């Protein structure tokens, strides 16, 4: 849990540092977001610990090349896909969204999260299982998890902003004061339209209407 809290805090500092020049009024730390990552991290830490112990008990812990290959394969083919499901489903609930959205979220984002996880942890896992003594693996995986969870927090927040952007209303520059909704793109492509672009369109409409008055 501590690693997840620290990683999310660093991720938020990173986001504020990158956005401060574009959005001077950006808000302070999101403690609710950090609390969600802390809660998930506490639960995930217990599950991961049990997984490592079980894997050592079943496969062995001599450090042989064959054992390392089996452990890495089990980690990437069994644990990692389940972790991605567990993460996405947990955050639907922790963010207060309808649990019935979980299947939709999994279909849309599970493969992307899985690819990123494997790309980061595959070489790291092979290195740790093959070279790090069992008593030091928790520390080694903890260091790797600190970096990975920082990336994961940035990714998770970005997809949240994409959901917000997809729900923002675009207005045409009509002569009346009422917002005339513009045609929207299909959900998959619309999600890539940034919040900044949508806000700029709405702000432009307001300035034009102000000039006409």
């Amino acid at each position: 849990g501590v690693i997840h809290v620290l990683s999310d805090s660093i991720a938020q500092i990173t986001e504020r540092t990158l956005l401060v020049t574009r959005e001077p009024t950006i808000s302070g730390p999101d403690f609710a977001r950090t609390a969600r990552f802390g809660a998930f991290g506490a639960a995930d830490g217990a599950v991961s610990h049990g997984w490592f112990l079980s894997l050592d008990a079943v496969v062995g812990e001599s450090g042989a090349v064959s054992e390392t290959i089996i452990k890495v394969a089990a980690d990437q083919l069994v644990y990692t896909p389940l972790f991605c499901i567990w993460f996405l489903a947990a955050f639907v609930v922790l963010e207060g969204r309808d649990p019935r959205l979980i299947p939709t979220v999994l279909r849309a984002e599970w493969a992307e999260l899985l690819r990123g996880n494997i790309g980061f942890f595959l070489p790291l896992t092979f290195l740790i299982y093959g070279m790090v003594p069992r008593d030091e693996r928790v520390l080694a995986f903890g260091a790797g998890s600190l970096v990975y969870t920082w990336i994961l927090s940035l990714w998770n927040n970005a997809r949240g902003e994409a959901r917000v952007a997809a729900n923002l209303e675009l207005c045409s520059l009509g002569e009346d004061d009422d917002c005339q909704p513009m045609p929207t793109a299909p959900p998959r492509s619309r999600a890539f339209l940034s919040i900044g672009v949508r806000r700029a369109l709405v702000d432009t409409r307001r300035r034009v209407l102000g000039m006409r008055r």
Side-chain angles (χ1 to χ4, degrees):
V2 175
I3 289 177
H4 285 68
V5 168
L6 181 59
S7 295
D8 180 69
S9 299
I10 296 173
Q12 291 195 43
I13 293 173
T14 302
E15 291 166 345
R16 290 198 298 273
T17 301
L18 294 175
L19 294 176
V20 69
T21 56
R22 290 182 293 167
E23 298 184 34
T25 60
I26 189 170
S27 59
D30 186 344
F31 295 110
R33 167 180 159 180
T34 302
R36 288 192 293 269
F37 264 90
F40 174 80
D44 182 60
V47 173
S48 299
H49 181 68
W51 166 257
F52 293 139
L53 290 179
S54 300
L55 204 57
D56 283 339
V58 173
V59 180
E61 50 183 308
S62 67
V65 174
S66 58
E67 287 183 0
T68 300
I69 293 175
I70 293 173
K71 288 180 179 179
V72 171
D75 221 53
Q76 300 303 311
L77 298 177
V78 178
Y79 182 79
T80 297
L82 294 176
F83 166 84
C84 294
I85 294 174
W86 155 234
F87 175 84
L88 293 171
F91 269 85
V92 168
V93 175
L94 290 171
E95 291 171 353
R97 291 184 283 159
D98 190 340
R100 290 176 294 183
L101 291 173
I102 290 176
T104 301
V105 171
L106 293 179
R107 286 193 296 269
E109 299 172 346
W110 176 81
E112 179 184 353
L113 180 57
L114 180 64
R115 287 194 299 269
N117 195 302
I118 291 176
F120 181 88
F121 271 111
L122 181 59
L124 181 65
T125 302
F126 197 93
L127 180 66
I128 290 176
Y129 277 131
M131 301 184 65
V132 179
R134 177 182 175 182
D135 294 341
E136 299 176 10
R137 285 177 192 164
V138 174
L139 180 61
F141 273 111
S145 295
L146 180 65
V147 177
Y148 175 74
T149 307
W150 167 66
I151 298 171
L152 188 63
S153 178
L154 294 172
W155 177 81
N156 189 60
N157 189 60
R159 71 190 183 98
E161 290 182 346
R163 287 196 304 271
V164 173
N167 291 326
L168 287 178
E169 183 177 34
L170 290 176
C171 300
S172 66
L173 301 178
E175 295 184 0
D176 56 0
D177 291 338
D178 295 331
C179 177
Q180 303 296 324
M182 294 173 60
T184 56
R188 181 171 294 274
S189 59
R190 183 175 45 174
F192 290 96
L193 186 58
S194 70
I195 294 177
V197 173
R198 289 172 175 264
R199 284 178 178 168
L201 288 171
V202 174
D203 289 343
T204 300
R205 172 186 178 272
R206 289 173 179 169
R207 285 197 295 270
V208 171
L209 291 178
M211 292 172 60
R212 289 178 178 176
R213 291 192 184 94

